[in-house]
Amino acid sequence: MTCMQKPTGAHALVRRTHEDRVLRALQANGAMSRGEIAQIVGLSRTTLSEITGNLLQRGAIIVVDTDAARRGGSGRPAERLALDPASAQFMGVDFGHRRVHVAIADASHEIMVSGSVRYDDTASWQTRTELALALVDRLSSQAGVRHGALQGIGIGVPGPYPAPVGVAQPRATPGATILRPAPEGVDVAFAERFDAPVIVDNNTRLAALAEAITGADSVADLLYVRLADGVGGGLVIGGQLVTGSTGLAGELGHVTVEPVGRPCRCGKRGCLETVASVPGILATCWEFGLRLNGPEALADAVARQHPVAERVLRGAAAALGRVLGAATMTLNPAKVVIGGEIARLSPVLVEQVAATLAGELFPIAAAGPVVEAARLSDEDGALGALAAVFHNSPLLAKYPGTADVKDRSDGSDPTPERAAHVRS
Amino acid sequence: MTCMQKPTGAHALVRRTHEDRVLRALQANGAMSRGEIAQIVGLSRTTLSEITGNLLQRGAIIVVDTDAARRGGSGRPAERLALDPASAQFMGVDFGHRRVHVAIADASHEIMVSGSVRYDDTASWQTRTELALALVDRLSSQAGVRHGALQGIGIGVPGPYPAPVGVAQPRATPGATILRPAPEGVDVAFAERFDAPVIVDNNTRLAALAEAITGADSVADLLYVRLADGVGGGLVIGGQLVTGSTGLAGELGHVTVEPVGRPCRCGKRGCLETVASVPGILATCWEFGLRLNGPEALADAVARQHPVAERVLRGAAAALGRVLGAATMTLNPAKVVIGGEIARLSPVLVEQVAATLAGELFPIAAAGPVVEAARLSDEDGALGALAAVFHNSPLLAKYPGTADVKDRSDGSDPTPERAAHVRS
């Protein structure tokens, strides 16, 4: 994943850094006069006027009132500026196999609005893109969100995403370059529509980043695996998302765990995916005589602690634990996260992975990684895409704490469900 | 691995960047007057005089002559400055189990002198350190190398090296902090003796870095494994050496390959190390009736293409290939390098690893990584330590091509054997 900004010289870079500091000062302190802001961020009045002029023009901040009522002395009252609560700054879009999720965040990284819309898994990229853009419009108009100041759009797509990862610029931008198209132009569609830079990456990888940087105990080294229709993975190493030399890093699902196992859709046999994906788990249940007709039936069997389902899950988890054990020996992560609905539903699965992994670890590594189920659900994919935008901004990245995915609904709810939310 | 520089402000950082440019200009162009240097590096005469004054004082450059003979006009002849060919800038020290290697490089990263000295594998760290320091003295006095301008010392040590990795400062430096001692103070001994910052890391990991950045085809993503008395590994990802959350990244030797295999010194059974280390290979040869009495006998059997030795090597290579296959699926490196004497001696081994690894790879990854035997031999460990010093200097890292390990002996010999070399 790379982030290409609009062509900027050193001056523009400095200006955007200043802008960011001004936005953060307003976020931390609420409405302030230009003089108060200048003092806090350490800029001259002249420079600050330029910065605030630009932010006002972009719609990122607004004039809320003057300090006339509160000032004692004489002279012209000073305008007080504040973040525009209706101005979106970041957008995250997550295209799953059957649904697209969107989350829109303000300058302080708080979710302003989020929602999702279904499509058929045979839908073309053009259809998916149109549905996603219509969803953004609907969500934004319902919540009164404006897009004039969008700084970046992150887009997650299913499946391996080759490097160099696509970053589209609005075509109107002089010197704009499209490094590599996302699946059938979704990146270009968003870049043109919102006149903002777009980052595209595999959505499992984006989820890994979101898990690494979400919450108070963010970690620099994290191994993420998601059990769903397939088994995907993502790595964060040294605080950076790893894409690998050809964009294929994290393909844990195709490590061989049973040399003479079931055929895998990749062409090999006995890949982890044939054992630990939801279809793989269902197939093993059938082999043991437990005929479940789909993920819902599996969830139900897990909820009832059906002994066959639990045995099959332990077997899948043991295979997963061996693969994660080898990967942990290689990478020495601080945390191993298991994503996907099944991991959330089945404590047995996470427990068995942790046990197998502990057995695999180098005994002198007394403290192995934390092993846990993902905190963000599959429904939160757009948060991963948002995290990518936050994380990849070289300007934002310099400021501690800017990489957090925050939720305006005060933190008591780990998902953005409390924000204005539309599903269709 | 971290590099702590002496406390420096922005001014000092700028000065060191300027110094570096001046040294590189002198390296590229040979002796020049201050005016010529100023023109090439784009500095004012005043700034340049400060920089060259400092470099002259540190012994990094010398006055070679004046331009009196070559200039046509009148006026005072200008001094011509050049790199001091006798002034060491970087030192690499590699402590193996039975031998320490030292390599000393000049400002242009060329090896000035290198050598090694044996010790007993039961020797204390104090003895090893004293032997290494005496070796440096002997090598330097034979080759007329001075240490007044040493910029950094890299030290490789055997075994996992926990993070945060030790960086010792000379005790005399105000504000000096020792993050974590190397094995029994070797880092402090070198830092104090040479008044230079010291970087310490596991020597297998340093070898991985050296393999990644050596030669014209340097890669950003590399997986390295070394087969010796044990099996160690190192990862370079995105151009950075990976240490992991607790300094244990790269421990490929303790991935389980045979769940009911031989006991491993780590306490588990059937680790890769029990199969693919030199003692592991020898043990398997015995099981197949080929009684070899040590690494030399194994080398001899390999050279004679003994069928049992080849079969055992293929088996070990297949196990190694499966572990590297899983690691490659996880990391998607551009290159997989197999180090250790046995990999150099046995084409069968590298060939079988490549074949097994290709079979393990995700079929859509049409182009798997390059698999090759290490270019640098175990004897070149000090080059890894040097590479760490070159690579970790935030100043040097900014300049393309500065991370290369170069050999003054013009590149026709990949090892520094042609440089003044002492063994004892």
Side-chain angles (χ1 to χ4, degrees):
Chain A
M1 188 174 58
T2 39
C3 177
M4 180 185 279
Q5 299 288 332
K6 293 182 190 181
T8 53
H11 177 71
L13 192 74
V14 168
R15 183 176 58 69
R16 293 206 56 172
T17 308
H18 289 338
E19 277 182 7
D20 194 60
R21 292 171 65 189
V22 170
L23 291 172
R24 281 180 195 284
L26 288 170
Q27 164 64 17
N29 300 282
M32 288 188 290
S33 70
R34 289 180 179 79
E36 290 168 329
I37 300 170
Q39 208 169 355
I40 285 178
V41 300
L43 293 174
S44 74
R45 289 296 294 268
T46 314
T47 306
L48 189 81
S49 284
E50 266 181 52
I51 301 293
T52 54
N54 194 284
L55 290 171
L56 282 165
Q57 194 220 317
R58 279 173 46 211
I61 62 175
I62 51 173
V63 177
V64 285
D65 56 19
T66 70
D67 63 355
R70 299 186 308 145
R71 66 193 279 154
S74 60
R76 200 156 63 95
E79 289 176 340
R80 292 202 315 147
L81 307 171
L83 295 181
D84 179 357
S87 177
Q89 299 281 327
F90 306 98
M91 186 184 296
V93 183
D94 179 54
F95 288 96
H97 285 288
R98 295 185 195 85
R99 193 182 266 279
V100 61
H101 295 268
V102 167
I104 297 171
D106 65 15
S108 63
H109 291 185
E110 287 183 6
I111 306 292
M112 306 170 74
V113 64
S114 65
S116 69
V117 64
R118 273 182 186 281
Y119 42 70
D120 200 78
D121 58 4
T122 60
S124 69
W125 273 102
Q126 195 189 332
T127 302
R128 293 175 188 212
T129 304
E130 282 164 10
L131 284 168
L133 289 169
L135 173 64
V136 170
D137 285 346
R138 198 161 69 250
L139 290 168
S140 303
S141 92
Q142 286 182 2
V145 168
R146 292 193 296 273
H147 298 128
L150 264 187
Q151 292 183 40
I153 302 171
I155 299 181
V157 297
Y161 195 76
V165 172
V167 175
Q169 296 291 325
R171 280 201 183 130
T173 306
T177 315
I178 293 170
L179 287 182
R180 188 191 189 98
E184 311 205 14
V186 62
D187 52 351
V188 175
F190 273 82
E192 291 194 346
R193 172 68 173 275
F194 297 105
D195 193 28
V198 172
I199 293 171
V200 184
D201 208 336
N202 167 264
N203 48 19
T204 306
R205 215 178 262 160
L206 296 180
L209 184 62
E211 292 286 339
I213 68 179
T214 299
D217 55 342
S218 67
V219 295
D221 299 283
L222 179 137
L223 191 51
Y224 176 82
V225 64
R226 179 189 275 165
L227 312 182
D229 285 350
V231 173
L235 319 171
V236 177
I237 296 181
Q240 297 298 310
L241 203 51
V242 175
T243 49
S245 64
T246 60
L248 292 170
E251 283 297 336
L252 294 166
H254 298 283
V255 174
T256 305
V257 294
E258 295 183 345
V260 288
R262 293 189 195 107
C264 180
R265 64 187 168 105
C266 80
K268 295 199 300 174
R269 273 184 179 274
C271 291
L272 176 62
E273 185 166 296
T274 66
V275 172
S277 66
V278 173
I281 291 166
L282 287 170
T284 314
C285 286
W286 274 68
E287 284 177 11
F288 283 94
L290 177 63
R291 304 195 168 185
L292 303 171
N293 284 311
E296 291 74 19
L298 175 61
D300 188 53
V302 169
R304 287 183 290 116
Q305 299 182 289
H306 191 292
V308 172
E310 293 219 335
R311 192 171 74 179
V312 170
L313 282 168
R314 282 203 183 271
L320 176 57
R322 288 193 298 275
V323 170
L324 290 173
T328 295
M329 206 83 84
T330 309
L331 294 168
N332 187 210
K335 193 183 269 191
V336 172
V337 175
I338 306 159
E341 204 51 13
I342 189 71
R344 201 176 60 73
L345 293 174
S346 169
V348 161
L349 188 141
V350 177
E351 182 195 306
Q352 182 63 55
V353 168
T356 303
L357 197 148
E360 282 291 308
L361 289 187
F362 198 45
I364 70 159
V370 172
V371 179
E372 63 180 32
R375 297 172 182 199
L376 305 174
S377 80
D378 292 359
E379 299 294 294
D380 296 327
L383 296 186
L386 267 182
V389 192
F390 300 161
H391 197 69
N392 271 266
S393 161
L395 302 170
L396 298 176
K398 287 179 189 162
Y399 295 90
T402 57
D404 260 349
V405 178
K406 282 181 283 189
D407 180 356
R408 181 167 281 175
S409 60
D410 82 45
S412 57
D413 182 346
T415 74
E417 303 292 320
R418 291 200 191 171
H421 210 97
V422 176
R423 289 186 192 274
S424 57
Chain B
M1 186 175 58
T2 39
C3 176
M4 180 184 281
Q5 299 287 336
K6 292 181 189 180
T8 53
H11 178 71
L13 192 73
V14 168
R15 184 176 57 71
R16 292 206 55 173
T17 308
H18 288 339
E19 278 183 6
D20 194 57
R21 293 171 65 190
V22 170
L23 290 171
R24 281 178 196 286
L26 289 169
Q27 163 64 14
N29 300 282
M32 288 188 289
S33 71
R34 287 181 180 80
E36 289 167 331
I37 300 171
Q39 208 169 355
I40 286 179
V41 299
L43 293 174
S44 74
R45 290 296 296 267
T46 314
T47 304
L48 189 83
S49 283
E50 266 181 51
I51 300 294
T52 54
N54 193 283
L55 290 172
L56 282 166
Q57 194 219 319
R58 278 172 47 210
I61 62 174
I62 50 173
V63 177
V64 284
D65 57 19
T66 71
D67 64 354
R70 299 187 308 146
R71 67 195 277 149
S74 60
R76 200 157 62 96
E79 289 176 341
R80 293 203 314 147
L81 306 172
L83 294 182
D84 179 358
S87 178
Q89 299 280 327
F90 305 98
M91 186 184 295
V93 183
D94 179 53
F95 287 97
H97 285 289
R98 295 185 195 84
R99 192 183 268 279
V100 60
H101 295 268
V102 167
I104 297 172
D106 65 16
S108 62
H109 292 184
E110 288 182 6
I111 308 292
M112 307 171 73
V113 63
S114 65
S116 68
V117 63
R118 274 182 184 280
Y119 41 69
D120 199 79
D121 59 4
T122 61
S124 70
W125 273 103
Q126 195 189 334
T127 301
R128 292 174 189 213
T129 305
E130 282 165 9
L131 283 168
L133 289 169
L135 173 65
V136 171
D137 286 345
R138 197 162 68 251
L139 290 169
S140 304
S141 91
Q142 286 181 2
V145 168
R146 291 193 298 271
H147 300 128
L150 265 187
Q151 291 184 40
I153 302 170
I155 299 181
V157 297
Y161 194 78
V165 172
V167 176
Q169 295 292 325
R171 281 203 179 128
T173 307
T177 315
I178 293 170
L179 287 183
R180 188 189 189 99
E184 309 204 15
V186 62
D187 51 350
V188 175
F190 273 81
E192 291 194 346
R193 172 68 173 277
F194 297 105
D195 192 29
V198 172
I199 293 172
V200 184
D201 208 334
N202 168 263
N203 47 19
T204 306
R205 215 177 263 159
L206 296 180
L209 183 62
E211 292 287 338
I213 68 179
T214 299
D217 56 342
S218 67
V219 295
D221 299 283
L222 179 137
L223 191 50
Y224 175 82
V225 65
R226 178 189 275 165
L227 312 182
D229 285 350
V231 173
L235 320 171
V236 177
I237 296 179
Q240 296 297 312
L241 202 52
V242 175
T243 49
S245 63
T246 60
L248 293 169
E251 284 297 337
L252 295 166
H254 299 282
V255 174
T256 305
V257 295
E258 295 183 345
V260 288
R262 290 189 197 109
C264 180
R265 65 188 167 103
C266 80
K268 294 200 299 175
R269 273 182 180 276
C271 292
L272 176 62
E273 184 166 297
T274 66
V275 172
S277 66
V278 172
I281 291 166
L282 286 170
T284 314
C285 285
W286 274 67
E287 284 176 12
F288 283 93
L290 178 63
R291 305 198 167 183
L292 304 171
N293 283 311
E296 290 75 16
L298 175 61
D300 188 53
V302 169
R304 286 183 292 115
Q305 298 181 289
H306 190 293
V308 173
E310 293 218 337
R311 192 169 77 179
V312 170
L313 282 168
R314 283 206 182 267
L320 176 57
R322 289 193 298 275
V323 170
L324 290 174
T328 296
M329 207 81 85
T330 309
L331 295 168
N332 188 210
K335 192 183 268 191
V336 172
V337 175
I338 306 159
E341 202 55 9
I342 189 71
R344 200 176 61 73
L345 293 175
S346 169
V348 162
L349 188 140
V350 177
E351 180 195 308
Q352 182 63 56
V353 168
T356 303
L357 197 147
E360 282 291 307
L361 289 188
F362 197 45
I364 70 158
V370 172
V371 179
E372 63 179 34
R375 297 172 183 199
L376 304 174
S377 78
D378 293 359
E379 300 293 294
D380 296 327
L383 296 187
L386 267 182
V389 192
F390 299 160
H391 196 69
N392 271 264
S393 162
L395 303 171
L396 299 176
K398 286 178 189 163
Y399 294 90
T402 58
D404 260 348
V405 178
K406 282 180 283 188
D407 180 355
R408 181 165 285 177
S409 57
D410 82 47
S412 57
D413 180 348
T415 74
E417 303 293 320
R418 291 201 192 170
H421 209 98
V422 177
R423 290 185 191 274
S424 58

